[in-house]
Amino acid sequence: QKEVEQNSGPLSVPEGAIASLNCTYSDRVSQSFFWYRQYSGKSPELIMSIYSNGDKEDGRFTAQLNKASQYVSLLIRDSQPSDSATYLCAVINQAGTALIFGKGTTLSVSS
Amino acid sequence: GAGVSQSPSNKVTEKGKDVELRCDPISGHTALYWYRQSLGQGLEFLIYFQGNSAPDKSGLPSDRFSAERTGGSVSTLTIQRTQQEDSAVYLCASSLVPSGDQFFGPGTRLTVL
């Protein structure tokens, strides 16, 4: 079983819609979760981190964490064409020394 | 302030040659990480440094790979006797504290011919 799983997509949404990106993880003791955005040919850019169950909002982005279901999601409200990128979910490993990344979901926002 | 910087941005080398990649973390960040990203492979962890603690080398794929961090700041990743499968983007990240938010540098694209 892969440690962090994401649907590769592409996920296509129209401009102004809500994009929902999902991620599941296998290690029940994971404590820290991260969402990164990566444009083609660029390095990953941190969107937000989440540590506690529930929702965390930052501008148009909301991260949701459910540790019981081992599930973390990212909602992007009012999606813009500039949001078109690959979104990477990551979980800190048990030792706290490395991020374990999913393969990423490609989001395409059409104008 | 300045982000993580890496050099060179691109490196083309011949199979069997040694290469050195450099990372300069965000000032004040105590933790430094190396990852690599290959086509179709995703991001994989290589090595972690934290202060004066022994590094976590568990992600290094072979003994041809080594890294050091001098003075708790700049780090160098060395790949000896490069192979074609070493071709990838090598990314460095730093965080203020262990397990904290990691910020990535622009990466070094390594091509082994």
Side-chain angles (χ1 to χ4, degrees):
Chain A
Q1 182 184 4
K2 293 181 181 177
E3 296 186 74
V4 180
E5 294 206 49
Q6 297 181 255
N7 188 322
S8 61
L11 173 65
S12 298
V13 300
E15 184 175 358
I18 295 175
S20 178
L21 304 158
N22 304 314
C23 172
T24 58
Y25 58 94
S26 60
D27 190 346
R28 287 192 167 276
V29 301
S30 296
Q31 294 296 319
S32 305
F33 307 86
F34 304 83
W35 282 101
Y36 285 84
R37 177 173 64 192
Q38 187 171 29
Y39 292 112
S40 181
K42 302 294 186 182
S43 61
E45 172 191 4
L46 180 66
I47 298 173
M48 66 167 59
S49 53
I50 185 166
Y51 305 96
S52 304
N53 279 329
D55 295 358
K56 180 180 178 182
E57 186 174 319
D58 184 359
R60 296 187 295 113
F61 299 95
T62 299
Q64 299 174 318
L65 175 61
N66 183 326
K67 291 185 179 179
S69 300
Q70 295 174 237
Y71 176 92
V72 57
S73 65
L74 180 70
L75 300 178
I76 307 174
R77 290 182 300 281
D78 189 24
S79 295
Q80 301 297 308
S82 58
D83 294 326
S84 298
T86 297
Y87 288 80
L88 300 167
C89 172
V91 175
I92 198 80
N93 66 355
Q94 284 197 30
T97 59
L99 290 176
I100 303 167
F101 284 86
K103 291 288 181 69
T105 298
T106 300
L107 173 66
S108 176
V109 181
S110 55
S111 56
Chain B
V4 177
S5 60
Q6 293 186 245
S7 62
S9 55
N10 280 283
K11 177 73 176 178
V12 180
T13 190
E14 294 179 348
K15 177 181 172 181
K17 295 288 179 76
D18 297 352
V19 296
E20 282 191 356
L21 312 179
R22 177 189 167 104
C23 172
D24 206 335
I26 294 172
S27 178
H29 279 198
T30 63
L32 186 148
Y33 315 76
W34 283 97
Y35 297 85
R36 74 176 176 181
Q37 188 171 33
S38 309
L39 278 174
Q41 292 295 321
L43 266 155
E44 58 174 332
F45 164 72
L46 297 176
I47 189 168
Y48 160 84
F49 294 95
Q50 166 58 31
N52 294 320
S53 302
D56 177 357
K57 303 179 182 180
S58 61
L60 295 178
S62 78
D63 57 8
R64 296 186 295 105
F65 288 71
S66 63
E68 63 177 18
R69 188 180 184 190
T70 54
S73 181
V74 172
S75 176
T76 302
L77 176 69
T78 301
I79 308 173
Q80 295 179 311
R81 306 180 302 282
T82 52
Q83 304 294 311
Q84 288 183 333
E85 60 262 29
D86 298 335
S87 295
V89 176
Y90 288 81
L91 292 158
C92 177
S94 70
S95 64
L96 184 62
V97 295
S99 302
D101 292 352
Q102 294 184 25
F103 298 91
F104 283 83
T108 294
R109 181 175 296 278
L110 175 66
T111 303
V112 182
L113 301 177

Short mmCIF file of all heavy atoms in Angstrom, two decimals, chain B residues 18-47:
data_model
loop_
_atom_site.label_atom_id
_atom_site.label_comp_id
_atom_site.label_asym_id
_atom_site.label_seq_id
_atom_site.Cartn_x
_atom_site.Cartn_y
_atom_site.Cartn_z
N ASP B 18 31.81 12.71 -11.21
CA ASP B 18 31.27 13.14 -9.92
C ASP B 18 30.65 14.52 -10.06
O ASP B 18 31.14 15.35 -10.83
CB ASP B 18 32.37 13.21 -8.86
CG ASP B 18 33.02 11.86 -8.59
OD1 ASP B 18 32.53 10.83 -9.10
OD2 ASP B 18 34.04 11.83 -7.86
N VAL B 19 29.58 14.77 -9.30
CA VAL B 19 28.96 16.10 -9.30
C VAL B 19 28.72 16.55 -7.87
O VAL B 19 28.52 15.73 -6.97
CB VAL B 19 27.63 16.14 -10.08
CG1 VAL B 19 27.86 15.85 -11.56
CG2 VAL B 19 26.61 15.19 -9.50
N GLU B 20 28.73 17.87 -7.70
CA GLU B 20 28.41 18.48 -6.40
C GLU B 20 27.30 19.48 -6.59
O GLU B 20 27.37 20.35 -7.47
CB GLU B 20 29.64 19.19 -5.83
CG GLU B 20 30.66 18.26 -5.20
CD GLU B 20 31.71 19.03 -4.42
OE1 GLU B 20 31.70 20.28 -4.44
OE2 GLU B 20 32.56 18.38 -3.79
N LEU B 21 26.29 19.37 -5.75
CA LEU B 21 25.15 20.28 -5.79
C LEU B 21 25.12 21.04 -4.46
O LEU B 21 25.32 20.44 -3.40
CB LEU B 21 23.84 19.50 -5.98
CG LEU B 21 23.84 18.45 -7.11
CD1 LEU B 21 22.49 17.76 -7.16
CD2 LEU B 21 24.19 19.07 -8.44
N ARG B 22 24.82 22.34 -4.56
CA ARG B 22 24.90 23.17 -3.36
C ARG B 22 23.53 23.70 -2.97
O ARG B 22 22.71 24.01 -3.83
CB ARG B 22 25.84 24.35 -3.62
CG ARG B 22 25.96 25.35 -2.49
CD ARG B 22 26.74 26.57 -2.94
NE ARG B 22 26.61 27.66 -1.98
CZ ARG B 22 27.56 28.01 -1.12
NH1 ARG B 22 28.71 27.36 -1.10
NH2 ARG B 22 27.36 29.03 -0.29
N CYS B 23 23.32 23.82 -1.66
CA CYS B 23 22.09 24.39 -1.13
C CYS B 23 22.40 25.38 -0.03
O CYS B 23 23.17 25.08 0.89
CB CYS B 23 21.19 23.28 -0.58
SG CYS B 23 19.74 23.88 0.32
N ASP B 24 21.78 26.54 -0.12
CA ASP B 24 21.92 27.57 0.90
C ASP B 24 20.53 27.79 1.50
O ASP B 24 19.64 28.33 0.83
CB ASP B 24 22.44 28.86 0.28
CG ASP B 24 23.17 29.72 1.27
OD1 ASP B 24 22.89 29.59 2.48
OD2 ASP B 24 24.01 30.53 0.86
N PRO B 25 20.29 27.34 2.74
CA PRO B 25 18.94 27.41 3.30
C PRO B 25 18.56 28.83 3.70
O PRO B 25 19.37 29.74 3.69
CB PRO B 25 19.05 26.50 4.53
CG PRO B 25 20.47 26.65 4.96
CD PRO B 25 21.27 26.78 3.68
N ILE B 26 17.31 28.99 4.09
CA ILE B 26 16.83 30.27 4.61
C ILE B 26 17.57 30.55 5.92
O ILE B 26 17.73 29.65 6.76
CB ILE B 26 15.31 30.22 4.83
CG1 ILE B 26 14.58 30.09 3.49
CG2 ILE B 26 14.82 31.46 5.58
CD1 ILE B 26 13.10 29.83 3.59
N SER B 27 18.02 31.77 6.06
CA SER B 27 18.78 32.15 7.25
C SER B 27 17.98 31.86 8.52
O SER B 27 16.79 32.22 8.63
CB SER B 27 19.11 33.65 7.18
OG SER B 27 19.80 34.04 8.34
N GLY B 28 18.62 31.19 9.46
CA GLY B 28 17.97 30.87 10.73
C GLY B 28 17.25 29.55 10.75
O GLY B 28 16.84 29.07 11.83
N HIS B 29 17.08 28.93 9.60
CA HIS B 29 16.42 27.62 9.56
C HIS B 29 17.40 26.56 10.03
O HIS B 29 18.52 26.47 9.53
CB HIS B 29 15.92 27.30 8.16
CG HIS B 29 14.62 27.95 7.84
ND1 HIS B 29 13.81 27.54 6.81
CD2 HIS B 29 13.97 28.98 8.44
CE1 HIS B 29 12.73 28.28 6.78
NE2 HIS B 29 12.80 29.17 7.75
N THR B 30 16.94 25.75 10.99
CA THR B 30 17.84 24.77 11.59
C THR B 30 17.83 23.44 10.85
O THR B 30 18.78 22.68 10.93
CB THR B 30 17.46 24.52 13.06
OG1 THR B 30 16.15 23.95 13.11
CG2 THR B 30 17.50 25.82 13.86
N ALA B 31 16.75 23.14 10.17
CA ALA B 31 16.62 21.84 9.49
C ALA B 31 16.77 22.02 7.98
O ALA B 31 16.27 22.98 7.40
CB ALA B 31 15.27 21.20 9.81
N LEU B 32 17.48 21.07 7.37
CA LEU B 32 17.72 21.11 5.93
C LEU B 32 17.47 19.73 5.36
O LEU B 32 17.87 18.72 5.95
CB LEU B 32 19.16 21.57 5.65
CG LEU B 32 19.55 21.81 4.20
CD1 LEU B 32 20.59 22.92 4.12
CD2 LEU B 32 20.06 20.55 3.53
N TYR B 33 16.83 19.70 4.22
CA TYR B 33 16.42 18.43 3.60
C TYR B 33 16.82 18.43 2.13
O TYR B 33 16.76 19.44 1.46
CB TYR B 33 14.89 18.28 3.65
CG TYR B 33 14.24 18.62 4.97
CD1 TYR B 33 14.05 19.95 5.36
CD2 TYR B 33 13.76 17.62 5.81
CE1 TYR B 33 13.43 20.28 6.55
CE2 TYR B 33 13.13 17.93 7.02
CZ TYR B 33 12.97 19.26 7.37
OH TYR B 33 12.35 19.58 8.56
N TRP B 34 17.17 17.25 1.65
CA TRP B 34 17.38 17.04 0.22
C TRP B 34 16.35 16.02 -0.28
O TRP B 34 16.12 14.98 0.37
CB TRP B 34 18.77 16.49 -0.07
CG TRP B 34 19.87 17.50 -0.02
CD1 TRP B 34 20.72 17.75 1.03
CD2 TRP B 34 20.30 18.37 -1.07
NE1 TRP B 34 21.63 18.73 0.70
CE2 TRP B 34 21.40 19.12 -0.59
CE3 TRP B 34 19.88 18.58 -2.39
CZ2 TRP B 34 22.06 20.06 -1.37
CZ3 TRP B 34 20.54 19.53 -3.16
CH2 TRP B 34 21.61 20.26 -2.65
N TYR B 35 15.76 16.33 -1.42
CA TYR B 35 14.83 15.43 -2.10
C TYR B 35 15.25 15.38 -3.57
O TYR B 35 16.01 16.22 -4.05
CB TYR B 35 13.39 15.97 -2.05
CG TYR B 35 12.78 16.09 -0.68
CD1 TYR B 35 12.99 17.23 0.11
CD2 TYR B 35 11.97 15.08 -0.16
CE1 TYR B 35 12.42 17.35 1.36
CE2 TYR B 35 11.39 15.19 1.09
CZ TYR B 35 11.63 16.33 1.84
OH TYR B 35 11.05 16.45 3.09
N ARG B 36 14.73 14.38 -4.27
CA ARG B 36 14.87 14.41 -5.71
C ARG B 36 13.53 14.07 -6.36
O ARG B 36 12.71 13.36 -5.77
CB ARG B 36 15.97 13.48 -6.22
CG ARG B 36 15.68 12.02 -6.19
CD ARG B 36 16.83 11.25 -6.81
NE ARG B 36 16.60 9.81 -6.71
CZ ARG B 36 17.46 8.90 -7.15
NH1 ARG B 36 18.60 9.28 -7.73
NH2 ARG B 36 17.19 7.63 -7.02
N GLN B 37 13.36 14.59 -7.56
CA GLN B 37 12.10 14.39 -8.28
C GLN B 37 12.43 13.92 -9.68
O GLN B 37 13.04 14.65 -10.46
CB GLN B 37 11.29 15.69 -8.32
CG GLN B 37 9.90 15.54 -8.86
CD GLN B 37 9.06 16.80 -8.67
OE1 GLN B 37 9.57 17.91 -8.69
NE2 GLN B 37 7.76 16.63 -8.44
N SER B 38 12.02 12.70 -9.97
CA SER B 38 12.23 12.13 -11.29
C SER B 38 10.90 12.04 -11.99
O SER B 38 9.85 11.95 -11.35
CB SER B 38 12.83 10.73 -11.17
OG SER B 38 13.96 10.72 -10.34
N LEU B 39 10.95 12.02 -13.33
CA LEU B 39 9.72 11.88 -14.11
C LEU B 39 9.04 10.58 -13.73
O LEU B 39 9.64 9.52 -13.78
CB LEU B 39 10.04 11.90 -15.60
CG LEU B 39 10.22 13.27 -16.24
CD1 LEU B 39 10.66 13.14 -17.68
CD2 LEU B 39 8.94 14.09 -16.13
N GLY B 40 7.79 10.70 -13.33
CA GLY B 40 7.02 9.51 -13.02
C GLY B 40 7.32 8.90 -11.66
O GLY B 40 6.69 7.92 -11.28
N GLN B 41 8.27 9.49 -10.93
CA GLN B 41 8.63 8.92 -9.63
C GLN B 41 8.16 9.74 -8.46
O GLN B 41 8.18 9.30 -7.34
CB GLN B 41 10.16 8.77 -9.54
CG GLN B 41 10.72 7.74 -10.47
CD GLN B 41 10.26 6.35 -10.14
OE1 GLN B 41 10.16 5.98 -8.98
NE2 GLN B 41 9.92 5.58 -11.16
N GLY B 42 7.79 10.96 -8.70
CA GLY B 42 7.39 11.80 -7.58
C GLY B 42 8.59 12.27 -6.79
O GLY B 42 9.74 12.03 -7.14
N LEU B 43 8.30 12.94 -5.70
CA LEU B 43 9.34 13.49 -4.84
C LEU B 43 9.77 12.45 -3.82
O LEU B 43 8.94 11.91 -3.10
CB LEU B 43 8.79 14.70 -4.08
CG LEU B 43 9.03 16.05 -4.71
CD1 LEU B 43 7.98 17.04 -4.26
CD2 LEU B 43 10.42 16.54 -4.33
N GLU B 44 11.07 12.19 -3.75
CA GLU B 44 11.55 11.23 -2.76
C GLU B 44 12.63 11.85 -1.90
O GLU B 44 13.51 12.57 -2.38
CB GLU B 44 12.07 9.96 -3.44
CG GLU B 44 13.17 10.17 -4.44
CD GLU B 44 13.73 8.86 -4.97
OE1 GLU B 44 13.68 7.83 -4.26
OE2 GLU B 44 14.25 8.87 -6.11
N PHE B 45 12.55 11.54 -0.63
CA PHE B 45 13.47 12.06 0.38
C PHE B 45 14.85 11.42 0.23
O PHE B 45 14.96 10.23 -0.06
CB PHE B 45 12.90 11.74 1.76
CG PHE B 45 13.88 11.86 2.89
CD1 PHE B 45 14.31 13.10 3.32
CD2 PHE B 45 14.35 10.73 3.54
CE1 PHE B 45 15.20 13.21 4.38
CE2 PHE B 45 15.23 10.83 4.60
CZ PHE B 45 15.67 12.07 5.02
N LEU B 46 15.88 12.23 0.42
CA LEU B 46 17.24 11.73 0.37
C LEU B 46 17.92 11.78 1.74
O LEU B 46 18.37 10.76 2.26
CB LEU B 46 18.07 12.51 -0.64
CG LEU B 46 17.62 12.43 -2.10
CD1 LEU B 46 18.47 13.34 -2.97
CD2 LEU B 46 17.68 10.99 -2.60
N ILE B 47 18.00 12.98 2.33
CA ILE B 47 18.76 13.14 3.57
C ILE B 47 18.27 14.36 4.33
O ILE B 47 17.73 15.30 3.74
CB ILE B 47 20.27 13.24 3.27
CG1 ILE B 47 21.13 13.17 4.54
CG2 ILE B 47 20.59 14.50 2.47
CD1 ILE B 47 22.61 12.97 4.26
#
